[in-house]
């Protein structure tokens, strides 16, 4: 029997490439060949970040196609990027598949597309290829998207996404309460971006109907009510390939591993890990307030400050800060986050609550301080603080998160051991779900069997 050959295609953002790469690593462990399609821009970034550490002999073949934008265009403008992808990529993807399929022994047997790329699912269907959607965020977010038309019909929001009033709703009992003004499409950029996003969600909802599987990086225990509400979404998380093999992570920035040696020198459960994912930006004043809060916490801290987090505006401040706080505090541009969160010296995670970070923190039993920035991060914060009760919110009512609130909440979180106890319970259930016989493990095994039967 010939080998299954899966084409995997993520939305071109760091928080999408990483979990789909993680999934690809899992697939190759099961003897499946993977062709991973990035945009040209993302591909170049990953190659640059890898430097000399290119993983050789990996079964994942990296290829790329254009994203429809020009070199200097702003790819953090999600509206513009989403529109450009839709214009150019479906045709390019089709051409790529035709090219690969010229080799009869190497034909694509299945496409696993990011659930945010409805057009890729349509290309797959049009070409008569088996189709799977991978959802890189919470199942609850996907349910919110599936509920878009209902929310418009019942007047909760206008057709352009504007909420009728600032209130909270629950899509089903026990699912997180969502504030209408914090619906993902309403806090992703300007009005134009919201409109583009609403249209994209509608198209994706339609396209997702052709997917034979909808899988996601979550667990039944993390989102019990969501999976009861939408049993067609199957959790296979937490994705764990990175724990087992020399794997390709798909980082956009080079990992600074020196922080692992630094962590080795810190007492157990003492370090505050501070990271805001790949998108969050800070204004000048807020960045300085955070720095002072960390400094005054009197705890060791590891802080990821990406080169673009503040458009280089705080360079001198940060340089002096680093000199002043070293060796108690360490600043890096990009950390090996999963390894950091698994390190015994970590006490808590000050996070923007991106879904990957949320899964990684909970899988390692680390309590959170929540500082959501945009998109689905507010839903994830609700999970962390109100449903799992493994973290605390920072107070953003005054428009700025103050140093006093940061130091106060760090103390509160670390002094109340109930947070740690609940976090360890959630970790245990997450780990159990991917063990032999666990619920995610069963879903994943069924999925692999199906892929193997598709050849
Ligand atoms: N990440 C990392 N090193 C860092 C910061 C983040 O490897 O210094 C990874 C993190 O482990 C996660 C991803 O980047 O897998 C960020 O995804 P998330 O959904 O948390 O946030 P986003 O970047 O999408 O806002």
């Amino acid at each position: 029997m010939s080998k299954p050959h899966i084409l995997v295609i993520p939305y071109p953002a760091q928080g999408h490439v990483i979990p789909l790469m993680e999934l690809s690593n899992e697939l190759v462990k099961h003897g499946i060949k993977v062709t991973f399609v990035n945009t040209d821009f993302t591909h170049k970034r990953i190659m640059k970040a890898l430097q000399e550490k290119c993983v050789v002999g990996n079964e994942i073949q990296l290829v790329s196609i254009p994203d429809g934008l020009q070199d200097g265009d702003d790819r953090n403008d999600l509206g513009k990027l989403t529109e450009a992808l839709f214009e150019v990529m479906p045709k390019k993807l089709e051409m790529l598949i035709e090219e690969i399929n010229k080799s009869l022994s190497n034909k694509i047997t299945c496409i696993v597309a990011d659930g945010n790329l409805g057009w890729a699912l349509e290309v797959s269907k049009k070409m008569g290829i088996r189709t799977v959607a991978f959802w890189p965020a919470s199942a609850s977010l996907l349910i919110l998207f599936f509920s878009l038309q209902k929310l418009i019909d019942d007047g909760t929001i206008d057709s352009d996404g504007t909420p009728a009033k600032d209130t909270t709703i629950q899509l089903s009992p026990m699912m997180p309460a969502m504030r209408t003004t914090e619906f993902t499409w309403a806090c992703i950029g300007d009005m134009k971006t919201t409109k583009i996003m609403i249209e994209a969600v509608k198209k994706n909802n339609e396209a997702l109907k052709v997917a034979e599987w909808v899988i996601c990086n979550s667990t039944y225990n993390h989102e019990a009510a969501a999976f009861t509400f939408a049993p067609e979404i199957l959790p296979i998380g937490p994705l764990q390939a990175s724990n087992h093999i020399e794997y390709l992570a798909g980082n956009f920035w080079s990992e600074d591993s020196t922080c692992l040696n630094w962590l080795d020198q810190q007492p157990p459960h003492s370090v505050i890990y501070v990271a805001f994912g790949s998108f969050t930006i800070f204004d000048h004043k807020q960045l300085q307030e955070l720095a002072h809060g960390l400094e005054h916490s009197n705890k060791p801290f590891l802080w990821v400050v990406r080169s673009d987090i503040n458009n280089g505006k705080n360079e001198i401040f940060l340089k002096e800060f680093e000199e002043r706080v070293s060796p108690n505090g360490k600043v890096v541009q990009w950390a090996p986050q999963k390894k950091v969160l698994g390190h015994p010296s970590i006490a808590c995670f000050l996070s923007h609550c991106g879904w990957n970070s949320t899964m990684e923190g909970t899988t390692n039993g680390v309590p959170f301080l929540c500082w959501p920035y945009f998109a689905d991060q507010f839903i994830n914060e609700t999970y962390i603080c109100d449903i799992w009760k493994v973290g605390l919110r920072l107070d953003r009512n005054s428009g700025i998160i103050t140093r006093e609130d940061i130091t106060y909440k760090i103390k509160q979180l670390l002094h109340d051991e109930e947070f740690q106890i609940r976090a360890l319970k959630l970790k245990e259930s997450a780990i159990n779900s991917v063990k032999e016989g666990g619920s995610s493990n069963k879903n994943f095994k069924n999925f692999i069997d199906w892929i193997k039967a598709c050849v």
Side-chain angles (χ1 to χ4, degrees), residues 15 18 251 273 277-278 304 334-335 337 352 354-357 360 377:
I18 287 181
N251 284 310
Y273 174 56
S278 59
V304 178
W334 193 250
Q337 179 162 301
H352 72 310
W355 185 249
N356 295 296
S357 295
E360 291 158 13
Q377 294 154 14

Side-chain angles (χ1 to χ4, degrees), residues 139-160:
S140 299
L141 178 65
L142 186 53
I143 293 172
L144 174 66
F145 284 0
F146 285 160
S147 310
L148 176 67
Q149 195 55 51
K150 184 181 168 293
L151 293 169
I152 295 173
D153 293 344
D154 68 18
T156 308
I157 55 170
D158 289 347
S159 55
D160 65 0

Side-chain angles (χ1 to χ4, degrees), residues 294-344:
L294 293 174
E295 188 175 3
H296 294 153
S297 72
N298 291 324
K299 290 269 167 200
F301 62 86
L302 170 62
W303 182 15
V304 178
V305 184
R306 296 186 333 267
S307 47
D308 58 348
I309 205 160
N310 183 229
N311 294 325
K313 280 190 198 131
N314 267 312
E315 244 170 60
I316 297 173
F317 170 82
L318 280 168
K319 194 167 174 285
E320 287 171 2
F321 173 76
E322 271 186 74
E323 281 166 9
R324 196 167 67 239
V325 296
S326 172
N328 191 48
K330 182 155 176 77
V331 179
V332 294
Q333 284 212 13
W334 193 250
Q337 179 162 301
K338 288 188 193 124
K339 288 188 187 135
V340 167
L341 287 167
H343 196 283

